[in-house]
Amino acid sequence: MKSICVYCGANFNGDPILLKAVEELAAAFADQNIRLIYGGGSVGVMGIIADAVLKNNGLVTGVIPQFLLDLEVGHMEVTELIVTANMHERKQKMADLADGFIILPGGFGTLEEFFEVLTWLQLGLHNKAIGVLNVNGFYDHLFAQMDVMVEQRMLKPNNRALVINSDQPLDLLEKMKAFTAVPDPVWFKDRDLI
């Protein structure tokens, strides 16, 4: 993987465990020559990971819509800043530039981006690894809900297995590099999920 798109929050809750994990991930990106693709912001977890990759002499491509740039939340020090007309173009550009995806703690936008690329993987529109850095159990309840979806036969186990997760940055990257799962794009033809 030469580039990874990181979805994360425009807020930061001050958690030192999260800060350490983000800094470790950023150092691993720089050490492994992985370009960070992210939302182009200078605030929150977004700003922290961009700054940390740059501090480690890594490459950072930010992708930000014009309206957010106008609000002066764009990170002007990144290696490359791509400005899009809207959020839809931003998400498509980020996905196109990435060889994989990592989800860090965040809010609604982070979850929306995560589920969009996960759905695309399930449908066979890409075959890129999707990893969740589950810092301090942040996504435990989300994973539990996914398990309920499998138990209730609304989600196939093989599609649930498309979500790679770890609470350790280096472990997550290794799992993503070993990703070989094949999505089931004909899920809709099988009326019986079990």
Side-chain angles (χ1 to χ4, degrees):
M1 288 185 288
K2 298 192 181 299
S3 62
I4 293 179
C5 177
V6 173
Y7 297 128
C8 55
N11 294 304
F12 175 58
N13 61 5
D15 180 2
I17 297 171
L18 174 56
L19 180 60
K20 182 175 184 264
V22 170
E23 289 174 343
E24 286 177 11
L25 182 62
F29 274 29
D31 289 345
Q32 298 178 31
N33 295 315
I34 298 171
R35 177 183 285 266
L36 168 66
I37 310 296
Y38 87 117
S42 61
V43 296
V45 179
M46 280 199 295
I48 291 169
I49 192 164
D51 287 340
V53 171
L54 291 169
K55 180 182 172 185
N56 285 281
N57 299 313
L59 299 174
V60 178
T61 295
V63 184
I64 191 167
Q66 184 65 55
F67 82 93
L68 286 179
L69 194 61
D70 292 344
L71 293 173
E72 299 182 355
V73 296
H75 197 311
M76 306 313 290
E77 326 279 289
V78 296
T79 312
E80 177 184 27
L81 187 64
I82 299 170
V83 181
T84 63
N86 55 53
M87 293 290 281
H88 293 291
E89 286 182 22
R90 174 203 213 183
K91 290 189 299 179
Q92 186 65 60
K93 186 67 172 175
M94 290 167 71
D96 289 345
L97 292 172
D99 298 322
F101 306 91
I102 290 179
I103 290 76
L104 296 176
F108 288 154
T110 303
L111 288 178
E112 187 265 338
E113 291 165 325
F114 168 43
F115 281 112
E116 182 169 57
V117 294
L118 182 57
T119 301
W120 291 352
L121 176 58
Q122 177 182 302
L123 294 173
L125 299 177
H126 71 78
N127 197 22
K128 301 173 183 180
I130 300 172
V132 177
L133 188 57
N134 190 25
V135 179
N136 213 14
F138 186 86
Y139 285 114
D140 286 354
H141 293 290
L142 181 63
F143 295 147
Q145 179 58 44
M146 291 179 186
D147 294 336
V148 168
M149 293 162 75
V150 172
E151 290 167 16
Q152 294 291 318
R153 298 176 57 214
M154 299 302 284
L155 178 66
K156 282 187 173 184
N158 63 319
N159 287 326
R160 167 65 178 92
L162 296 173
V163 180
I164 301 164
N165 71 83
S166 177
D167 62 353
Q168 299 298 317
L170 290 175
D171 179 58
L172 184 65
L173 284 173
E174 290 308 308
K175 287 179 177 178
M176 290 175 67
K177 288 177 184 176
F179 175 75
T180 57
V182 178
D184 183 7
V186 294
W187 60 270
F188 54 89
K189 292 183 180 177
D190 185 3
R191 301 296 181 198
D192 186 9
L193 294 177
I194 301 299

